[in-house]
Amino acid sequence: MGVVGAGPAGLLLGHLLHREGIDTVILEDRSREHVEARIRAGVIEQGVVDLLVATGAGQRLRAEGLVHHGIELQFAGERHRIALSDLARGRTILIYGQTELVKDLIALRLDDGLPLHFEVEDVSVHDVESERPRIRYRHDGRDQELECDAIAGCDGFHGICRPSIPHGVLSEFSREYPFGWLGILAAVAPSNDELVYAHHERGFALLSLRSPELSRLYVQCRPDEDLAEWPDNRIWEELQIRLGLEGWTLAEGRILEKGVTGMRSYVCEPMRHGRLFLAGDAAHIVPPTGAKGLNLALRDVRVLAEALVDWYRSGTTTGLDGYSETCLRRVWRAEHFSWWMTQMLHRADRDDAFGLKLQLSQLAYITRSEAAATSLAENYVGLELV
Ligand SMILES: Cc1cc2nc3c(=O)[nH]c(=O)nc-3n(C[C@H](O)[C@H](O)[C@H](O)COP(=O)(O)OP(=O)(O)OC[C@H]3O[C@@H](n4cnc5c(N)ncnc54)[C@H](O)[C@@H]3O)c2cc1C
């Protein structure tokens, strides 16, 4: 089995298949240092935590991850707690950086002596409609070819697998947003025990965390925002305004990392062509407001791994034939939730007074209606039945 991409999806797929005795070769075009340093998601749904723990990939995550039972919504100068675990039948989320999870999965794979090649070049996939699809790539100064039973395209949104599918096979659905997130990682203890999603007339802000010593914070910005216009003091000033609350202080600290992420919703259907199976960001993207991107990627490969195990063991293709449909049910739920959270919390147009009133009404409804809060909570912690 060939796997393109050593992000969370590719690495977990390799891990799950190895446990079932299925060989994989993982090809990654970036260096190990780069992959292990990429700061991205940090909220893991309980269902995904359970999967990682049950399959032996969750030891450090269990020890170091922070279990959260709620989040806070801030708007109109007040903060309101959404008690996730009370509303969603005891389910919680775990705060654990994607970078840490990727480090754990790489370490497991290398400890087991399994093939994981970094810094491969010119990766291309061929003959995916045949029974012997191939991956060509350049590594260690040599052109190489890998003959596979099937290929998993886990190479993210900008990878080569999805574009290699002939024109007209895939249907694509997308939405661009007129804003992005300017995110920072700061060496300061989080000022709140739980995540704070703040709606503000100047734009959205999020107070998040990575550990008891590291805060992760975001402010809504333009998608093409120039970081040079955001010296550290301007970032803190804006965070103080948007997250500010009487009687509460946002602690500041040294900014270790900053970056701008544009926002997009995207899905391609189906997530399969012949023996090429797309998983994670290679097939779909969500804006980060719902904290779903990482979770979707890991859940895709769980479905794919189970289908591949059935196929290798008994020759049945039922799971593989249903792979795309099974994943897309969850993907579209997460797409809707992520879009809904995004449009409720961000200011697309600061002059849109009507839109502002609608947002505030929706936010107030969530804090006053248990049914509305439950809907948010069960989507946020990850629905198990979709
Ligand atoms: C800046 C940023 C911030 C984010 N923040 C959040 C967040 O707060 N919450 C959340 O839930 N999600 C967030 N996400 C989304 C989340 O990180 C992704 O959904 C998740 O990484 C998907 O995992 P993946 O394995 O499918 O793809 P990726 O993590 O993108 O991994 C794909 C891998 O394939 C490799 N690759 C690409 N092309 C090739 C090639 N040609 N050959 C070989 N290898 C290749 C890449 O280098 C990469 O290692 C964020 C994403 C970004 C970019």
Side-chain angles (χ1 to χ4, degrees), residues 125-131 133-134 151 164-165 273-276:
V125 296
H126 303 269
D127 303 331
V128 298
E129 288 157 21
S130 77
E131 291 192 353
R134 286 167 300 123
I151 298 173
S164 75
I165 296 174
H273 180 56
R275 292 203 177 185
L276 171 62

Side-chain angles (χ1 to χ4, degrees), residues 5 7-9 28-30 38 40-41 98 154-155 280-281 291-293:
E28 165 62 49
D29 68 351
R30 310 303 293 256
R38 243 175 347 208
R40 288 186 171 177
Q98 177 173 331
C154 301
D155 50 348
D281 278 17
K292 290 286 159 251

Side-chain angles (χ1 to χ4, degrees), residues 84-358:
L84 297 175
S85 52
D86 292 347
L87 294 163
R89 296 185 300 281
R91 302 186 79 73
T92 57
I93 50 164
L94 190 83
I95 307 298
Y96 190 69
Q98 177 173 331
T99 36
E100 301 310 310
L101 178 61
V102 163
K103 281 183 208 164
D104 296 345
L105 289 168
I106 289 176
L108 273 176
R109 187 160 183 95
L110 296 181
D111 285 352
D112 287 336
L114 302 175
L116 165 53
H117 304 305
F118 290 99
E119 298 181 72
V120 298
E121 295 170 83
D122 301 331
V123 180
S124 56
V125 296
H126 303 269
D127 303 331
V128 298
E129 288 157 21
S130 77
E131 291 192 353
R132 298 310 285 169
R134 286 167 300 123
I135 308 178
R136 290 200 192 118
Y137 60 101
R138 194 168 171 74
H139 188 49
D140 287 340
R142 284 193 304 124
D143 290 329
Q144 315 215 18
E145 188 172 281
L146 186 68
E147 204 176 85
C148 315
D149 297 326
I151 298 173
C154 301
D155 50 348
F157 188 68
H158 300 289
I160 50 92
C161 288
R162 191 182 67 253
S164 75
I165 296 174
H167 188 69
V169 170
L170 299 179
S171 299
E172 298 181 284
F173 307 86
S174 66
R175 179 151 301 182
E176 300 280 337
Y177 299 87
F179 39 76
W181 279 9
L182 192 165
I184 61 164
L185 186 70
V188 58
S191 300
N192 201 54
D193 292 339
E194 294 179 337
L195 274 68
V196 180
Y197 286 79
H199 174 278
H200 193 278
E201 287 188 21
R202 293 172 67 88
F204 172 72
L206 172 62
L207 186 162
S208 176
L209 58 146
R210 284 294 178 271
S211 72
E213 300 84 30
L214 286 178
S215 297
R216 182 91 171 122
L217 297 120
Y218 300 90
V219 284
Q220 178 188 336
C221 62
R222 294 194 313 267
D224 56 350
E225 195 79 51
D226 181 2
L227 268 181
E229 291 174 17
W230 286 85
D232 294 1
N233 62 341
R234 180 175 172 207
I235 297 176
W236 285 117
E237 268 170 32
E238 198 60 37
L239 285 166
Q240 294 287 2
I241 295 171
R242 297 189 195 184
L243 288 163
L245 201 63
E246 242 181 76
W248 177 85
T249 311
L250 173 66
E252 301 183 8
R254 192 161 56 89
I255 295 183
L256 306 173
E257 211 253 5
K258 56 179 156 180
V260 171
T261 313
M263 287 206 195
R264 175 188 282 135
S265 299
Y266 172 90
V267 182
C268 76
E269 294 186 0
M271 291 168 56
R272 168 193 188 172
H273 180 56
R275 292 203 177 185
L276 171 62
F277 296 86
L278 302 176
D281 278 17
H284 42 74
I285 295 280
V286 285
T289 329
K292 290 286 159 251
L294 171 63
N295 292 294
L296 282 180
L298 298 179
R299 288 190 188 259
D300 282 354
V301 296
R302 174 192 210 160
V303 176
L304 183 55
E306 284 172 3
L308 286 165
V309 169
D310 280 353
W311 181 49
Y312 275 101
R313 291 241 170 95
S314 59
T316 172
T317 61
T318 315
L320 291 178
D321 294 341
Y323 166 70
S324 180
E325 201 183 324
T326 303
C327 291
L328 284 168
R329 271 200 299 276
R330 175 175 296 283
V331 167
W332 276 113
R333 178 85 300 278
E335 288 287 346
H336 179 270
F337 178 65
S338 304
W339 163 83
W340 177 77
M341 285 282 279
T342 301
Q343 55 86 32
M344 176 172 71
L345 289 163
H346 293 72
R347 301 295 320 278
D349 172 2
R350 282 202 198 173
D351 297 328
D352 179 10
F354 185 77
L356 176 63
K357 291 282 186 190
L358 290 181

Side-chain angles (χ1 to χ4, degrees), residues 23 39 60 78 103 133 150 174 177 265 301 334 337 365 368 381:
D23 293 337
I39 308 280
R60 194 160 71 93
E78 286 181 13
K103 281 183 208 164
S174 66
Y177 299 87
S265 299
V301 296
F337 178 65
Y365 176 51
R368 291 194 197 120
V381 299

